[in-house]
Amino acid sequence: MVKRQALEATKFMSLKWPALSASILIFAGVAVVGLGGLVSAWKTIEPGYVGIVFDKISHRVTTGALEPGWALINPLSESIQEYPVTIQTYSMVQKNTEGKVEGDDSIKVQSSEGQQLNLDVVIQYSVNRNEANLLYQEWGGAPIETIEDRVVRQYTRSQVPLVVSQYGWEAITTRERQMIVNLIVARLGAEFQKRHLNLVSFGVREVHLPQALQDALDSKIKAQQRAEQQNYALKQAQIQAQQAKVEAQGEASAITVKAQAQAQANQLLSRSLTPELIHSQQVQKWNGELPMVTGSGGTPLLDLRESGKGKP
C-alpha cells in the first residue's frame, strides 16, 4: 500500500515539475526586468553638475534643474542631461600638452602692421545654473563638449583676432597687453551671456612672435634695461653727492658756530679783565714769597738773595 502511494506521488511530481519550473523562470524574469527598470529609473547627478529632465512624450523640458544627488525618472519616457556649473578651463596653446586639440592650437592673429603672431590663451567659464534648461533647449540637448566647442572655442577664435588687429605688435606684447585683454573679456563675456554661459576669466599666457620680431624685441628690452641701469647709477651718484654736500654744510656750520661761540667768549673775557680784577687774582695766587730778582726799566736788577746775606 505504501509503495503504491509513493509511486503515485512520484508520478504526480513528474507531471507537475515542468509547469512549476516554467512558473519560476517567468517569475525570475519578471523580477530581473523589474529590478533593471528600477535601477535605470534612479539616476545620480554628480557634484558640480545640474540635471535637466526631458520628457520624450511631450517633447518638453521640466522647469528648473535638478541638484546633485539621486533623481527618479521614468526611463521609458524621460532622460537626463547633466551640465557643469563649476568652473571649466579651456586652453588653446602652441605646445599643446593640456588642451583638447593635438598639435598647435594657438590663435593666429595679425597686428595693425600686418605681422602674424600666435597667442596662447586660457578661458575659464561655467554654465549659468538658472538658465541650464534654456541651454538644453537651444542646443537640442547637446552635451557640454559640443557647446564648449561651438561657443567657447569658436567665439574666442573669432573675437580675439578682431580686437588684436587694431594694435601694433609691440603694444600686443608689452605696453597695452592688459588693455587688449580687457576688451576681449568684454566681447566674449557678452557673447557667452547670450548663450547661457558665464565667462569667469580670459588670459593671454604667451605671445609667440616671428624670429625677426623676437630678436628686435629682445634688443629693445636689453637697451631699455641698460638705460634703466645707467639712470639708476646716475640717481645713486646724485644722492651720494647731495649727502656729501649736506654733511659738508653741517661740518662747516658746526665750525662756524664753534668759532662764533669762542669769539663771543673771548669778547666777554676781555671786557671782564679790569686792573682791579687782575690785581685781586694776583693777590689770591701769591704764596707770600718775594721774587729773588726784580727790576724795572732803567733800575738796576737787585739780587735780594745777596742783599740778605749777613743779616740776622
Side-chain angles (χ1 to χ4, degrees), residues 82-225:
E82 294 183 42
Y83 289 126
V85 291
T86 53
I87 296 176
Q88 307 295 304
T89 301
Y90 193 91
S91 302
M92 289 178 279
V93 296
Q94 192 173 80
K95 296 179 180 180
N96 205 340
T97 57
E98 56 183 287
K100 298 185 178 181
V101 177
E102 294 183 0
D104 183 0
D105 194 37
S106 59
I107 300 179
K108 296 177 176 59
V109 300
Q110 278 194 342
S111 66
S112 59
E113 306 97 342
Q115 296 287 350
Q116 180 174 311
L117 296 77
N118 289 56
L119 306 182
D120 288 351
V121 304
V122 179
I123 306 100
Q124 290 187 321
Y125 76 97
S126 64
V127 173
N128 189 329
R129 180 189 296 268
N130 298 326
E131 299 177 5
N133 57 337
L134 298 176
L135 180 71
Y136 181 95
Q137 294 180 56
E138 292 183 9
W139 288 94
I144 190 61
E145 291 77 14
T146 300
I147 300 171
E148 187 177 67
D149 179 73
R150 297 181 184 178
V151 177
V152 178
R153 178 181 177 82
Q154 298 303 327
Y155 275 94
T156 300
R157 298 185 78 88
S158 64
Q159 296 299 317
V160 169
L162 291 177
V163 176
V164 172
S165 63
Q166 303 174 37
Y167 299 88
W169 68 271
E170 286 191 76
I172 298 169
T173 55
T174 54
R175 299 190 307 273
E176 302 177 34
R177 180 167 166 176
Q178 187 57 50
M179 183 184 69
I180 295 172
V181 168
N182 293 339
L183 293 174
I184 294 172
V185 167
R187 286 202 179 195
L188 289 182
E191 295 295 339
F192 282 23
Q193 189 175 16
K194 293 177 185 177
R195 291 155 184 84
H196 316 296
L197 300 178
N198 298 321
L199 177 63
V200 178
S201 68
F202 171 87
V204 177
R205 179 178 296 178
E206 190 171 353
V207 179
H208 301 281
L209 298 173
Q211 191 60 46
L213 293 183
Q214 186 63 54
D215 293 342
L217 180 62
D218 292 342
S219 298
K220 183 174 182 179
I221 292 175
K222 289 180 180 178
Q224 290 176 343
Q225 290 176 343

Side-chain angles (χ1 to χ4, degrees), residues 4 20 23 91 94 128 171 206 227 239 269:
R4 183 178 179 182
L20 182 61
S23 299
S91 302
Q94 192 173 80
N128 189 329
E206 190 171 353
I239 292 173
L269 180 61

Side-chain angles (χ1 to χ4, degrees), residues 239-252:
I239 292 173
Q240 292 175 358
Q242 185 66 25
Q243 290 177 344
K245 182 179 179 180
V246 171
E247 291 176 359
Q249 289 176 346
E251 292 177 358

Side-chain angles (χ1 to χ4, degrees), residues 16-66:
K16 294 295 185 179
W17 176 251
L20 182 61
S21 299
S23 299
I24 294 174
L25 291 175
I26 292 173
F27 177 78
V30 171
V32 170
V33 171
L35 182 61
L38 182 61
V39 171
S40 62
W42 285 100
K43 299 292 183 181
T44 300
I45 301 174
E46 299 296 331
Y49 286 76
V50 294
I52 305 301
V53 179
F54 176 69
D55 190 330
K56 302 175 184 178
I57 298 176
S58 62
H59 300 285
R60 290 185 302 178
V61 176
T62 57
T63 304
L66 299 178

